[in-house]
Amino acid sequence: MQLLIQSTSDNTVTLRAQIARLERGDRRSDWGVLPFGDSSVDACMPYGGLQLGHWHEIGGDGMERETPAAATGFTAALAQRAQRGGAIIWVLRRDDLHAPGLQAFGIDPDRLILVRVDKDDDVLTVQEDALRTRGVTAAIGEVDKIDLAAGRRLQLACEKSGATGFVLR
């Protein structure tokens, strides 16, 4: 591919897209955007909403770190909207998720798979495998922390499959 550099502002967008394609290589990363539906929120988000085919980290502050009900509900609502007819995999370390309560967020229990593991590393491994699995459109992993290498592996899995990942801290 040959880059043509022109000075007009109309071609700046084209040039940026060409550079992004070169940086990406053969990985597809334009899986669309999930708008929040509120123009004041969407205007603050890059691309006008939550990018599908990427992973997103969600966490709370204060008491939400101990009992993250609001962050869990928010993540469930996002996963349901990103589901697009596929399965949602939820990987957790504790047995404190009230699965029937997820129906309040529109999650179909027939399209939800819960996986319980013991360590953060196992959560991220299972989540990465889930994101690479055909038919999975969203995968949620509950972890205390995530390192750069694990984040990169999740991103590559999302880009390749188009599934959206959520890391709930």
Side-chain angles (χ1 to χ4, degrees):
M1 178 185 296
Q2 185 177 17
L3 289 178
L4 299 174
I5 300 175
Q6 299 176 357
S7 61
T8 64
S9 62
D10 292 339
N11 291 322
T12 302
V13 173
T14 304
L15 180 60
R16 286 183 180 160
Q18 288 176 329
I19 292 170
R21 279 194 302 277
L22 288 172
E23 289 175 341
R24 238 184 0 255
D26 63 349
R27 297 185 322 267
R28 179 176 174 200
S29 64
D30 184 19
W31 293 97
V33 173
L34 179 65
F36 286 89
D38 181 336
S39 60
S40 63
V41 174
D42 291 337
C44 295
M45 301 293 291
Y47 309 104
L50 193 74
Q51 284 187 282
L52 299 172
H54 291 264
W55 74 276
H56 307 279
E57 189 172 348
I58 299 168
D61 238 358
M63 283 300 291
E64 274 296 306
R65 287 179 179 227
E66 298 295 321
T67 55
T72 301
F74 182 66
T75 303
L78 290 175
Q80 184 276 330
R81 293 191 60 217
Q83 189 172 12
R84 301 170 290 154
I88 295 175
I89 309 295
W90 200 305
V91 190
L92 56 148
R93 291 182 44 213
R94 296 180 295 269
D95 292 326
D96 61 352
L97 181 68
H98 184 64
L102 296 176
Q103 287 181 294
F105 296 97
I107 293 179
D108 180 357
D110 293 333
R111 296 207 171 265
L112 174 66
I113 299 170
L114 299 176
V115 180
R116 189 187 174 289
V117 297
D118 292 324
K119 300 181 293 187
D120 278 358
D121 290 343
D122 294 339
V123 170
L124 296 168
T125 299
V126 170
Q127 185 178 12
E128 181 184 347
D129 288 344
L131 289 166
R132 294 182 188 278
T133 302
R134 182 184 213 157
V136 172
T137 53
I140 301 160
E142 296 181 8
V143 296
D144 290 327
K145 59 185 174 183
I146 182 169
D147 63 32
L148 292 174
R152 183 68 178 147
R153 285 193 307 272
L154 290 179
Q155 182 59 34
L156 291 172
C158 290
E159 286 178 359
K160 185 172 183 178
S161 69
T164 302
F166 299 95
V167 172
L168 180 58
R169 294 188 326 111

